[in-house]
């Protein structure tokens, strides 16, 4: 007479396997996050000046366009404290160790991204800038790891 008993020979190894999977998660859950003051003055100045950020993705890279204020009076208009802006464009490849490049375009007066275009080969956006009475439209291209402003 045979009986069908459950197979208990693998239970210790299954339990060990489950504990091995859960241990890093438990350790992370118990680690308390740290708060550290950033002391780099250039980094603090740039981050405090960011007014907006836009992200654009293609098949080969990711571009982030930051609109950064240049500070009061930077437009150098007579009897005005008008601010000019710069565009910081970060272009990064995909991958485990992506190559990343940072470009600065400016100074610009009141830049606005009005349309984004692109293809699998690269991306570009249309940017308007200038005083209200004389705004111009330019193409900001970030294809193949390069940035151009035309």
């Amino acid at each position: 007479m045979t009986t069908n008993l459950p197979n208990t020979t693998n239970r210790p190894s299954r339990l060990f396997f489950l504990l091995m999977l859960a241990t890093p998660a438990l350790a992370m859950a118990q680690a308390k996050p740290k708060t550290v003051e950033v002391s780099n003055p250039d980094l603090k100045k740039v981050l405090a000046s960011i007014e907006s950020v836009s992200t654009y993705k293609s098949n080969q890279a990711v571009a982030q366009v930051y609109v950064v204020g240049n500070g009061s009076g930077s437009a150098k208009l007579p009897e005005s404290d008008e601010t000019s802006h710069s565009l910081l464009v970060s272009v990064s490849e995909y991958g485990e160790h992506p190559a990343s490049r940072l470009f600065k375009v400016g100074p610009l007066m009141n830049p606005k991204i009005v349309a984004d275009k692109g293809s699998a080969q690269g991306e570009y956006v249309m940017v308007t800038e200038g005083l209200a009475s004389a705004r111009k439209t330019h193409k900001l291209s970030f294809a193949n790891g390069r940035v151009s402003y035309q």
Side-chain angles (χ1 to χ4, degrees), residues 10-79:
N10 285 337
R11 280 198 182 166
S13 62
R14 285 183 191 168
L15 181 60
F16 178 74
F17 180 71
L18 289 174
L19 283 174
M20 292 301 292
L21 285 176
T23 300
L26 291 173
M28 289 295 288
Q30 294 174 358
K32 190 171 186 174
K34 295 180 183 178
T35 301
V36 179
E37 183 177 356
V38 175
S39 60
N40 182 321
D42 294 331
L43 181 60
K44 291 190 295 187
K45 182 179 179 182
V46 168
L47 291 176
S49 300
I50 293 174
E51 295 183 8
S52 67
V53 61
S54 303
T55 302
Y56 305 95
K57 297 179 180 181
S58 70
N59 288 345
Q60 286 140 12
V62 176
Q64 291 184 305
V65 180
Y66 300 87
V67 178
V68 180
N70 291 333
S72 181
S74 59
K76 298 183 177 145
L77 296 174
E79 299 181 26

Side-chain angles (χ1 to χ4, degrees), residues 134-147:
R135 292 191 64 78
K136 296 178 183 174
T137 301
H138 301 274
K139 180 179 178 180
L140 175 64
S141 174
F142 31 86
N144 302 320
R146 299 207 180 278
V147 170

